[in-house]
Amino acid sequence: MTTERVPFIAGNWKMNLDHQQAIALVQKLAWTLRDANHDYSKTEVAVFPPFTDLRTVQTLIDAEKFELTLGAQDLSQHDSGAYTGDVSGAFLRKLEVKYVIIGHSERRMYHAENDELIQAKVAAAFRHDLVPVICVGETLEELEEQGQSFIPVQQIKAALANHSQVGEFIVAYEPVWAIGTGQVATPEQAAEVAVAIRTAIAQTLTPEIAEKTRILYGGSVKAANVAGFLKSPEVDGVLVGGASLQVEEFSGIARFLKHLAL
Ligand code: PGA
């Protein structure tokens, strides 16, 4: 992390927690962070619940004036129309959703999302004033065959190509082999790929945009290993899956500054 880019701690709940369970978790999380005097201006904390929880979590955040920010896990590349089951970015924006995860490896894998579709979803996010959290990462096979930066760089270049309008975005480097496996990348690996991604952003867009874009690491992040990643000036936060469902663990991750002598 650097002082210019505010670290971003994101909890991707995936397909877990219904809207009632969401209330319990968000309340407990906000209270735990409040008790610990969490400074949200120094470390942003966002939750990414399933679609069916969004209205409930938005209402709760609003009523209690919690400083947590809200994200969604996906969006349609279309704005409206005959697309059964899809969710428009316009609807998300109406719910005060700020962030949207795009191109998570589980969507690439189970819903055959390719670079072209992901690029179109990123365009939809920009159109609706949402901040896309663009996920990139290589499988174990790709790591062995092409090295660790090749696929993430290719994926981010494709996601950012040919936009008529570019807003703020975040990139999450999530090696597929590290997601939900307990097998973590080393902080050095994460930093090396983050540098390659930042260079790719500078080439595809501009060096100024690259400099201000937050690049996260994701894959088996826990309170015990988060500080290692964020020690590097290249890594600006983490995207957390499993550990974001446990309040103690996730608030421990959000409070990573405690473990860094800054
Ligand atoms: P994990 O998931 O923390 O459970 O490995 C990360 C993610 O998929 O975003």
Side-chain angles (χ1 to χ4, degrees):
M1 54 166 283
T2 65
T3 43
E4 298 85 54
R5 295 185 293 264
V6 176
F8 188 70
I9 308 296
N12 172 15
W13 297 1
K14 309 193 178 185
M15 198 170 72
N16 294 292
L17 308 182
D18 62 36
H19 72 286
Q20 285 166 333
Q21 295 167 319
I23 295 176
L25 187 138
V26 169
Q27 271 176 337
K28 227 171 135 190
L29 176 63
W31 292 338
T32 305
L33 290 174
R34 186 188 57 197
D35 290 348
N37 293 319
H38 185 77
D39 185 348
Y40 288 87
S41 69
K42 291 221 173 76
T43 307
E44 189 174 353
V45 184
V47 289
F48 292 74
F51 286 132
T52 50
D53 300 4
L54 287 175
R55 173 69 173 145
T56 308
V57 175
Q58 176 229 351
T59 309
L60 178 67
I61 287 177
D62 206 38
E64 302 284 339
K65 302 199 175 10
F66 290 152
E67 291 178 84
L68 297 164
T69 40
L70 188 57
Q73 296 177 17
D74 183 35
L75 88 173
S76 171
Q77 71 274 34
H78 305 291
D79 296 344
S80 65
Y83 302 104
T84 303
D86 285 356
V87 175
S88 166
F91 307 160
L92 298 176
R93 197 68 202 114
K94 263 266 159 69
L95 284 175
E96 288 164 29
V97 165
K98 178 164 184 197
Y99 298 101
V100 61
I101 294 173
I102 296 178
H104 190 281
S105 62
E106 286 150 16
R107 304 246 11 131
R108 291 181 193 257
M109 221 178 333
Y110 306 136
H111 297 269
E113 291 200 4
N114 58 20
D115 285 343
E116 198 184 344
L117 177 60
I118 288 160
Q119 195 269 359
K121 289 188 172 195
V122 171
F126 289 149
R127 265 198 314 278
H128 295 292
D129 202 19
L130 294 159
V131 178
V133 179
I134 306 167
C135 299
V136 298
E138 78 290 352
T139 62
L140 196 53
E141 212 178 25
E142 289 164 338
L143 174 71
E144 280 158 8
E145 282 171 13
Q146 288 150 316
Q148 59 189 6
S149 296
F150 185 78
I151 293 289
V153 162
Q154 225 178 26
Q155 289 175 339
I156 197 62
K157 282 187 169 170
L160 295 175
N162 304 322
H163 287 287
S164 53
Q165 171 191 357
V166 175
E168 182 191 347
F169 63 93
I170 291 174
V171 182
Y173 167 54
E174 298 204 305
V176 180
W177 47 269
I179 296 178
T181 58
Q183 203 185 329
V184 217
T186 64
E188 293 72 27
Q189 281 175 314
E192 195 179 313
V193 178
V195 171
I197 290 172
R198 205 175 296 286
T199 306
I201 298 171
Q203 289 165 349
T204 315
L205 300 170
T206 66
E208 291 72 28
I209 294 176
E211 189 50 37
K212 63 179 188 213
T213 297
R214 291 179 286 185
I215 301 179
L216 321 178
Y217 167 77
S220 297
V221 172
K222 308 233 170 335
N225 62 26
V226 65
F229 295 106
L230 290 167
K231 227 184 272 171
S232 159
E234 294 300 334
V235 178
D236 308 305
V238 284
L239 181 53
V240 186
S244 72
L245 302 171
Q246 297 153 17
V247 170
E248 282 311 314
E249 194 63 27
F250 190 58
S251 52
I253 293 171
R255 297 174 61 222
F256 75 93
L257 284 173
K258 294 257 174 303
H259 307 288
L260 291 181
L262 292 173

